DNA sequence: AATACGTGGCG
DNA sequence: TCGCCAAGTAT
């Protein structure tokens, strides 16, 4: 055993480990829509969707997305608004804007063929070390590591690695481990099996060690430390932001919506106008003044808000007071500010927070 | 390195 | 109710 190694791999029977892991995967893998073929584009789309997102959530999105944008060309030629709409509700919307950018680049620079080398594929927007390895191994059969949260959890237990997996630097340790362990005969199944094992057996809490196909190779199983691994430091508490929003209609029943900035939170998504609450000035007046100053809009707002929407993001919380109002002046429509018929709202991509605002509005409008 | 970036499910 | 989590990446 070497003291300068971050993990001890000498007493792992690599051949047997690969065999047990891959054989298990061949029998037990779930039937998933992105496993029907090895089209690099579909693998790519699935890997982007699956970032920080559960399989059950992704499945229907993946099916609709591929139906709507079946090929690199189809996605490359689509309008961003349609692409964002297809992603509505999935979260982390930069993922799909980066994917769109990258797909256009693949069409233009690589003739529509997803590059098959680590250096070229890693240059694509939104393709980091994990996604690069996943596409290269699953679609192209190359022996590259694809280290995600599952792989770090599984390998931290098998190899008894006590580095904090919340630290970015730790990923390199696990990549080094995968380079030692990966099957060169079937890198695709090896990587997928590691992730599938993490999803089905080697779960974060109460793992099913007695059903594990590789428990004989697992240091934590023998040491009784499975429940203590992986080491992962906690997140900080998130910030709370108080907002006031307005659902504004004209006398024809059109609704006022605006597009968010093209950077940052919920970039390029649509929303009902909203502004930060003030601790000193009454909300109704803040909203009234904001609409006048920002858009030259004269409105008559209800005396009281009709809903309060609480929305929790990963790093912050929105608490939104929502007012109804009538528009009394002309609206200067732009690319970012539109007055749209209610039946057309479904064509615009809204974050879940504002979908909930609309649901509340409909309830009130129906007199419930 | 640390933080921004969504959402829904679960104990 | 609430923190944690789930196939990460960009800056």
């Amino acid at each position: 055993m070497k003291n300068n190694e971050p993990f001890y791999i000498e007493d792992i029977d690599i051949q047997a480990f690969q065999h047990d892991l891959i054989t298990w995967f061949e029998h037990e893998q779930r039937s998933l829509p992105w496993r029907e073929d090895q089209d690099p584009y579909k693998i790519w789309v699935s890997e982007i969707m699956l970032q920080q997102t559960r399989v059950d959530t992704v499945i229907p999105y993946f099916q609709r997305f591929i139906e709507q944008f079946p090929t690199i060309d189809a996605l490359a030629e689509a309008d961003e608004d349609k692409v964002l709409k297809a992603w509505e509700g999935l979260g982390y919307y930069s993922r799909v804007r980066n994917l769109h950018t990258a797909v256009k680049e693949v069409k233009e620079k690589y003739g529509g063929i997803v590059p098959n080398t680590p250096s070229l594929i890693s240059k694509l927007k939104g393709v980091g070390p994990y996604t690069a390895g996943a596409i290269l191994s699953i679609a192209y059969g190359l022996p590259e590591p694809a280290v995600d949260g599952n792989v770090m959890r599984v390998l931290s237990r098998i190899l008894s690695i006590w580095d904090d997996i919340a630290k970015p630097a730790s990923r390199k340790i696990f990549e080094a481990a995968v380079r030692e362990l990966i099957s060169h005969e079937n890198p695709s199944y090896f990587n997928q099996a590691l992730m599938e094992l993490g999803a089905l057996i080697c779960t974060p809490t109460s793992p099913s060690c007695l059903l594990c196909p590789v428990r004989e190779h697992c240091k934590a199983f023998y040491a009784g430390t499975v429940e203590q691994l992986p080491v992962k430091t906690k997140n900080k508490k998130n910030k709370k932001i108080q907002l006031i929003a307005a659902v504004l209609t004209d006398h024809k029943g059109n609704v006022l919506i605006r597009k968010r900035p093209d950077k940052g939170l919920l970039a390029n998504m649509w929303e009902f106008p909203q502004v930060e609450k003030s601790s000193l000035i009454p909300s109704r007046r803040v909203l009234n003044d904001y609409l006048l100053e920002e858009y030259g809009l004269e409105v008559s707002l209800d005396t009281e808000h009709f809903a309060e929407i609480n929305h929790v993001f990963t790093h912050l919380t929105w608490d939104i007071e929502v007012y109804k109002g009538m528009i009394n002046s002309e609206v200067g429509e732009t690319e970012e500010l539109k007055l749209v018929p209610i039946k057309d709202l479904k064509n615009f991509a809204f974050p879940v927070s504002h979908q909930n605002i609309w649901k509340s509005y409909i309830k009130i409008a129906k007199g419930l």
Side-chain angles (χ1 to χ4, degrees):
Chain A
M1 227 182 241
K2 295 178 233 160
N3 293 322
N4 60 341
E5 290 290 334
F7 53 89
Y8 305 107
I9 211 159
E10 286 76 9
D11 47 337
I12 301 280
D13 182 340
I14 296 179
Q15 305 295 326
F17 173 71
Q18 292 173 351
H19 176 267
D20 293 345
L21 182 65
I22 289 173
T23 301
W24 171 80
F25 182 72
E26 286 170 343
H27 290 101
E28 301 298 332
Q29 65 169 298
R30 290 166 292 180
S31 170
L32 298 170
W34 47 89
R35 287 181 175 163
E36 289 175 8
D37 59 52
Q38 294 177 189
D39 177 354
Y41 168 67
K42 287 190 226 166
I43 302 296
W44 184 6
V45 170
S46 74
E47 291 302 341
I48 301 296
M49 283 190 174
L50 286 162
Q51 290 171 7
Q52 303 291 286
T53 310
R54 290 187 151 71
V55 166
D56 288 345
T57 304
V58 166
I59 290 172
Y61 279 92
F62 177 81
Q63 289 170 327
R64 288 194 299 266
F65 196 93
I66 292 300
E67 201 171 317
Q68 195 176 356
F69 313 111
T71 60
I72 296 268
D73 272 12
L75 182 56
E77 287 162 13
D79 290 335
E80 189 190 86
D81 286 342
K82 304 272 190 196
V83 176
L84 263 181
K85 182 67 190 179
W87 207 267
E88 181 186 54
L90 249 192
Y92 287 144
Y93 300 97
S94 304
R95 288 184 295 173
V96 76
R97 299 193 308 112
N98 288 337
L99 173 64
H100 196 208
T101 302
V103 158
K104 286 191 269 194
E105 187 180 343
V106 168
K107 177 180 161 69
E108 287 158 22
K109 280 176 66 174
Y110 304 108
I113 307 298
V114 180
N116 66 349
T117 67
S119 63
L120 288 180
I121 202 169
S122 298
K123 288 191 170 72
L124 298 171
K125 283 276 190 302
V127 178
Y130 164 75
T131 306
I135 297 172
L136 292 172
S137 61
I138 299 171
Y140 291 120
L142 299 175
E144 289 293 319
V147 174
D148 70 341
N150 284 314
V151 172
M152 289 196 282
R153 181 175 59 259
V154 169
L155 290 185
S156 73
R157 289 169 177 168
I158 291 174
L159 298 175
S160 189
I161 297 174
W162 292 78
D163 296 73
D164 181 358
I165 66 167
K167 302 260 191 257
S170 300
R171 202 197 68 247
K172 292 195 178 70
I173 294 171
F174 291 92
E175 285 178 347
V178 171
R179 286 188 191 282
E180 300 273 336
L181 294 171
I182 193 168
S183 160
H184 286 242
E185 195 173 83
N186 197 342
S188 168
Y189 271 26
F190 181 89
N191 279 341
Q192 291 188 72
L194 232 32
M195 293 188 273
E196 194 82 341
L197 190 67
L200 300 181
I201 305 285
C202 195
T203 47
T205 57
S206 48
S208 309
C209 295
L210 297 181
L211 299 178
C212 181
V214 293
R215 70 172 179 279
E216 290 184 16
H217 307 280
C218 183
K219 295 175 190 293
F221 178 71
Y222 285 117
T225 53
V226 169
E227 298 281 3
Q228 302 168 46
L229 289 167
V231 175
K232 187 177 184 184
T233 52
K234 322 240 178 203
N235 299 332
K236 291 175 181 175
K237 275 205 267 185
N238 66 12
K239 214 185 317 179
K240 296 189 192 318
I241 298 181
Q242 311 290 325
L243 295 166
I244 326 159
V247 177
L248 300 171
T249 52
D250 65 9
H251 60 283
K252 295 174 190 163
N254 297 316
V255 188
L256 190 73
I257 60 174
R258 72 176 181 191
K259 197 176 198 176
R260 292 179 58 86
D262 65 3
K263 285 184 194 297
L265 185 65
L266 304 170
N268 285 359
M269 300 288 280
W270 291 84
E271 67 182 5
F272 305 107
Q274 61 181 13
V275 64
E276 274 211 57
K277 198 168 168 178
S278 157
S279 54
L280 303 174
I281 309 163
S283 295
R284 186 169 175 275
R285 205 177 104 201
V286 171
L287 194 49
N288 198 81
D289 293 355
Y290 172 75
L291 292 166
L292 186 59
E293 285 163 26
E294 189 73 15
Y295 303 116
L297 271 183
E298 292 170 24
V299 300
S300 37
L301 297 169
D302 285 358
T303 315
E304 297 294 336
H305 60 272
F306 69 89
E308 190 163 338
I309 304 291
N310 190 264
H311 192 79
V312 181
F313 298 90
T314 305
H315 60 299
L316 56 88
T317 297
W318 276 357
D319 196 4
I320 318 174
E321 279 181 6
V322 194
Y323 287 77
K324 283 192 277 108
M326 290 296 295
I327 300 169
N328 300 323
S329 59
E330 283 300 304
V331 174
E333 290 192 62
T334 65
E335 282 302 306
E336 289 83 40
L337 185 72
K338 291 187 184 299
L339 199 48
V340 308
I342 287 175
K343 64 175 172 51
D344 290 347
L345 282 178
K346 64 177 189 316
N347 299 324
F348 296 83
F350 289 89
V352 169
S353 55
H354 284 239
Q355 293 175 31
N356 288 337
I357 288 177
W358 184 248
K359 282 181 196 168
S360 297
Y361 177 81
I362 292 298
K363 222 184 236 183
I364 301 298
K366 285 182 174 169
L368 298 175

